[in-house]
Each structure stands twice: as structure tokens, then as C-alpha cells.
Amino acid sequence: MQVALCVLCVVLCINGGFSSPLKSAQSREKLASVDDVNILMYGVLQFSESLHHIYQSTEAKLARVTQAISRTESDVRRLGQDTEEAAQTECQIKEKLQLIQAQMEGLQVQAQENRGTITRVEQEEAALKKKLTTLEENLNSSVPGKIKDTTLKNITILKDLMKWTEEQKLKLEIQNQQLAELQKRNVV
């Protein structure tokens, strides 16, 4: 609309529409031809169309830039959230790693205790076997009937005790194997 008004003003100025009656007689000699006015009008129309096209393309470009900015902002927010989640996950992993390390230390202490117990049980078993052998030898060589019966009972008790000791030793070895497997799992 403004462009059309500008064109109308230009045409009136050229035709002398704003001039006074006294000047109109003088300016009639200098009036532009219709072809010149048409060419001028065509140029003004082309110029206004170009301006309108530039305005629309600029508006479209601004809309695209605005969309790109909003996408970038959402990407930045999402990246920030991902970073926070990664930091939280890292803290959780560190805590679990410390817990596993503490468990490993506890398992190692328990394994050492079990090894000490197995060694002590083996020593006791060896001592019991030695005593049993000594008692059997003493019994066979010199003890009369009643003492011999008591000694035989003691020997039976000692043999049962040795069996029990052997069973405990096997249980401890199984526990050590299980403990070693748990340590291997935790290391992996």
C-alpha cells in the first residue's frame, strides 16, 4: 500500500499535479512522455516486488534461524542432562567398586583365617594319629583286660574324632575353593 502511494506521488510530481496553475503553463513544456512514465512505473513496481520478496525471504530465514536456535538450545539442555546422569552413574560405579574392594579384603582375611584353621587341624590330626599309634602300641604290649577295654574305647573315640576332624578339613577345603571362586568372580 505504501509503495502504491509512493508511485502515485511520483506520477503526480512528474505530471505536475502538485504544481500551481501558474506553474502548470510553464511546466507543460517539460512534461514527460507517457512511455517514460510507464517505464518509470514499471521500474517502481519491479522495485516494490523485489523489496516484498526480500522481506518475505528475510522473514523465512529468521524463522529458520529461530528454529535452529531452539533446536540447539534443546540439544544443549539434553546434553546437560546426559552429563549429569553420567556423573551420577560414575559416582554409583565408584561406590560399588569401593564396596567390592571392601568385600574382597574381607574375603582375603577370611581365606587367610581358613588356611590357618586348616593348618592347625592338620597338625592336630597328625598329633592325634601319633598318640593313637602310641596308645595302640602300648595297649598291645602291656595292658591287662579291663584297661585294654577302656583303651579300646578311647581308641574308638579317637578314631571317631579323627573322622570328624577329616570331615571338618574337607569342609574347610570346600569353603576355600568357594572363596577362591568368589575372589575370581570379583576380580573379573
Side-chain angles (χ1 to χ4, degrees), residues 10-21:
V10 170
V11 170
L12 287 176
C13 285
I14 292 172
N15 288 333
F18 291 116
S19 61
S20 64

Side-chain angles (χ1 to χ4, degrees), residues 34-155:
V34 175
D35 289 336
D36 290 340
V37 172
N38 285 339
I39 290 173
L40 184 61
M41 287 299 289
Y42 180 74
V44 170
L45 287 174
Q46 288 292 324
F47 180 70
S48 68
E49 284 181 17
S50 295
L51 281 178
H52 181 68
H53 178 69
I54 289 172
Y55 172 77
Q56 286 180 339
S57 66
T58 304
E59 188 176 28
K61 287 178 184 176
L62 283 175
R64 285 194 304 271
V65 167
T66 304
Q67 287 176 347
I69 288 172
S70 65
R71 277 192 305 252
T72 303
E73 287 175 348
S74 67
D75 288 345
V76 167
R77 273 186 299 230
R78 197 172 338 112
L79 208 81
Q81 291 171 348
D82 290 346
T83 304
E84 288 177 16
E85 289 174 5
Q88 290 173 353
T89 303
E90 181 184 4
C91 289
Q92 290 173 351
I93 289 172
K94 285 181 180 179
E95 290 173 1
K96 289 181 181 180
L97 184 61
Q98 289 174 351
L99 179 65
I100 289 172
Q101 287 174 343
Q103 289 175 346
M104 286 294 294
E105 290 172 2
L107 289 173
Q108 288 174 348
V109 168
Q110 187 179 2
Q112 289 175 349
E113 289 174 358
N114 287 344
R115 286 185 200 114
T117 304
I118 288 173
T119 305
R120 190 178 57 236
V121 167
E122 287 174 344
Q123 291 171 350
E124 289 174 0
E125 181 183 4
L128 282 174
K129 283 183 180 179
K130 187 176 180 181
K131 285 181 183 179
L132 182 62
T133 306
T134 306
L135 282 175
E136 284 179 346
E137 289 174 2
N138 288 339
L139 179 64
N140 289 334
S141 64
S142 66
V143 179
K146 194 173 185 184
I147 296 176
K148 193 174 186 179
D149 289 339
T150 308
T151 307
L152 286 174
K153 286 181 186 176
N154 286 341
I155 289 173

Side-chain angles (χ1 to χ4, degrees), residues 2-12 41 44-45:
Q2 291 174 348
V3 174
L5 286 176
C6 288
V7 171
L8 184 61
C9 286
V10 170
V11 170
L12 287 176
M41 287 299 289
V44 170
L45 287 174

